[in-house]
């Protein structure tokens, strides 16, 4: 049987591996591979999901009710808020809206593993800037990497998968060095877990007002526990966000996701209490790993990073053998989400055995 003749695919797309989700867990295992919130939705959020638009009807294409709520919360105009199916969707939309053949997108590496695909899909070129010691963004080197071809720079804080933050002072110096016609995306998917007092807070500091070339991304997937509903948002200059609105897939935010997000904002105090529990577990896990002898970066997210290097595959297999699904990055290290309380001691036991 001969192979069929198939449509021609761009070579760079054919060579690009698809996004690989964190490994799923069996009924008796802990899934610590996808940075999900281990808590079930609050009763009020579950109740809100009972009152969605009938599934035979389209949702509100612009998620107006949620955008109004976010605009009120952050003190901005309605058009300064954009909602999409997860913050990663907005990343794709913004890169598509700004970058094409001959353009460059600068980002740290290692960072969020979806970043390399963003410029490739747009036909642009990705420019990876190695992390500094401590697995932190090297903002000086990233600013140095900006050229006349640069259209976008992505800053992920806390950095996924390593965990450290960018400080407010570092970010201010960085923005001052980047040309005003270059888009800076401040990806703050894990901002709610940050306790470091010197961390940049794109929304709290309103950096998008002083610098219209900065767009701040947030998500309801992590701290708010709505990962399965796919909803995130951006705040920035309306004309910049128009590029995302134009390149986005219409009607991608469901009525269920919008209602759950609004209900989560209504229950923010209770959700913050859950976040504080995760932060306490993270702090305890970090301290215990360091006490064992691991050189763990200072994570401010809901995960920790084990620098296992060439032993990464072996280490990941050891965790999986003990029903702990973690996220290995071959040759670099392992990201372990902070999950259920019962998982902490088991993670520490396996980590100790690897030393």
């Amino acid at each position: 049987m001969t192979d069929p003749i198939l449509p021609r695919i761009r070579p760079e797309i054919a060579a690009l591996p698809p996004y690989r989700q964190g490994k799923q867990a069996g009924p008796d295992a802990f899934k610590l591979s996808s940075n999900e919130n281990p808590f079930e939705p609050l009763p009020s959020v579950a109740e809100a999901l009972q009152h969605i638009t009938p599934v035979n009807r389209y949702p509100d294409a612009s998620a107006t009710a949620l955008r109004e709520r976010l605009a009120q919360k952050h003190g901005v105009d309605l058009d300064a808020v954009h909602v999409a199916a997860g913050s990663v969707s907005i990343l794709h939309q913004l890169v598509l809206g700004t970058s094409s053949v001959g353009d460059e997108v600068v980002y740290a590496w290692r960072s969020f593993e979806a970043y390399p695909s963003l410029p490739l899909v747009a036909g642009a070129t990705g420019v990876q800037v190695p992390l500094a010691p401590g697995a932190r963004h090297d903002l000086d080197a990233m600013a140095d990497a900006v050229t006349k071809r640069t259209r976008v720079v992505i800053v992920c804080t806390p950095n996924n998968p390593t965990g450290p933050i960018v400080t407010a002072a570092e970010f201010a110096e960085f923005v001052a060095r980047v040309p005003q016609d270059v888009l800076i995306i401040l990806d703050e998917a894990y901002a709610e877990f940050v306790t470091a007092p010197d961390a940049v807070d794109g929304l709290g500091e309103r950096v998008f007002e002083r610098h219209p070339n900065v767009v701040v991304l947030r998500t309801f997937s992590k701290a708010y526990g709505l990962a399965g509903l796919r909803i995130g948002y951006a705040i920035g200059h309306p004309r910049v966000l128009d590029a995302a609105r134009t390149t986005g897939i219409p009607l991608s935010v469901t009525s269920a996701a919008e209602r759950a997000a609004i209900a989560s904002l209504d229950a923010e105090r209770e959700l913050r209490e859950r976040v504080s529990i995760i932060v306490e577990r993270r702090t305890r896990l970090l301290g215990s790993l360091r006490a064992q002898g691991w050189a763990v970066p200072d994570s401010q997210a809901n995960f920790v990073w084990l620098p296992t290097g060439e032993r990464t595959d072996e280490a990941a297999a050891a965790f999986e053998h003990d029903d702990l699904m973690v996220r290995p990055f071959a040759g670099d290290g392992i990201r372990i989400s902070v999950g259920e309380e019962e998982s902490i001691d088991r993670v520490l036991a396996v980590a100790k055995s690897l030393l």
Side-chain angles (χ1 to χ4, degrees):
M1 181 176 177
T2 60
D3 290 335
I5 298 175
L6 298 175
R8 285 173 288 183
I9 306 297
R10 288 168 47 197
E12 62 271 27
I13 298 299
L16 181 68
Y19 177 80
R20 185 168 59 88
Q21 186 182 19
K23 194 163 187 176
Q24 300 298 308
D28 298 322
F30 291 102
K31 187 185 178 192
L32 310 177
S33 55
S34 297
N35 296 343
E36 297 154 329
N37 193 314
F39 293 102
E40 294 287 331
L42 290 169
S44 59
V45 177
E47 171 65 19
L49 290 171
Q50 305 303 312
H51 305 286
I52 62 172
T53 300
V55 294
N56 61 311
R57 303 294 184 187
Y58 287 118
D60 176 1
S62 62
T64 305
L66 176 58
R67 288 172 58 227
E68 289 176 342
R69 182 64 183 276
L70 290 168
Q72 179 184 27
K73 174 180 172 65
H74 297 295
V76 298
D77 293 336
L78 182 63
D79 287 343
V81 182
H82 174 53
V83 172
S87 56
V88 68
S89 293
I90 304 176
L91 281 163
H92 275 279
Q93 293 164 8
L94 288 171
V95 172
L96 283 172
T98 57
S99 309
S100 186
V101 177
D103 299 330
E104 294 178 346
V105 176
V106 175
Y107 55 91
W109 197 252
R110 175 173 292 274
S111 194
F112 182 31
E113 66 175 301
Y115 291 163
S117 70
L118 303 177
L120 277 174
V121 171
T125 300
V127 178
Q128 297 183 351
V129 178
L131 294 174
R136 305 181 70 249
H137 273 53
D138 189 341
L139 291 185
D140 283 337
M142 291 179 70
D144 290 340
V146 173
T147 70
K148 292 182 179 180
R149 297 174 59 187
T150 305
R151 297 293 176 268
V152 181
V153 183
I154 306 173
V155 177
C156 182
T157 177
N159 185 50
N160 174 19
T162 60
I165 51 99
V166 168
T167 70
E170 290 169 339
F171 189 71
E173 293 177 5
F174 173 73
V175 173
R177 290 190 58 192
V178 175
Q180 294 179 352
D181 61 353
V182 172
L183 173 62
I184 300 173
I185 302 176
L186 186 59
D187 188 351
E188 296 187 315
Y190 301 93
E192 292 83 4
F193 300 101
V194 174
T195 57
D198 59 344
V200 65
D201 179 351
L203 297 184
E205 298 173 40
R206 308 184 72 81
V207 295
F208 51 88
E209 288 184 340
R210 297 191 305 277
H211 306 284
N213 62 323
V214 175
V215 169
V216 181
L217 300 189
R218 294 287 178 94
T219 184
F220 287 96
S221 295
K222 311 302 181 184
Y224 291 91
L226 303 182
L229 291 176
R230 308 306 304 127
I231 187 161
Y233 65 99
I235 290 185
H237 194 284
R239 292 211 303 272
V240 177
L241 295 183
D242 281 345
R245 289 186 264 263
T246 300
T247 55
I249 298 173
L251 302 162
S252 59
V253 176
T254 66
S255 173
E258 183 181 13
R259 282 187 176 269
I262 293 172
S264 295
L265 292 172
D266 290 338
E268 191 158 16
R269 182 184 60 80
E270 295 173 90
L271 288 166
R272 291 283 182 174
E273 291 173 357
R274 290 182 166 188
V275 167
S276 68
I277 294 172
I278 295 172
V279 168
E280 187 279 328
R281 291 176 187 169
R282 176 195 75 199
T283 303
R284 183 159 29 103
L285 184 58
L286 274 172
S288 298
L289 288 170
R290 286 172 172 168
Q292 289 180 358
W294 287 98
V296 185
D298 185 20
S299 176
Q300 287 285 304
N302 67 335
F303 54 82
V304 297
W305 173 255
L306 284 187
T308 46
E310 295 180 355
R311 297 182 59 205
T312 293
D313 290 343
E314 169 195 344
F319 281 106
E320 186 173 344
H321 183 267
D322 203 29
D323 287 331
L324 297 166
M325 303 300 113
V326 296
R327 189 64 172 269
F329 296 88
D332 284 347
I334 292 174
R335 189 191 67 198
I336 305 173
S337 305
V338 178
E340 294 82 354
E341 175 63 31
E342 296 79 10
S343 70
I344 301 296
D345 286 343
R346 287 171 64 173
V347 168
L348 291 171
V350 175
K352 186 175 183 179
S353 74
L354 294 170
L355 289 172

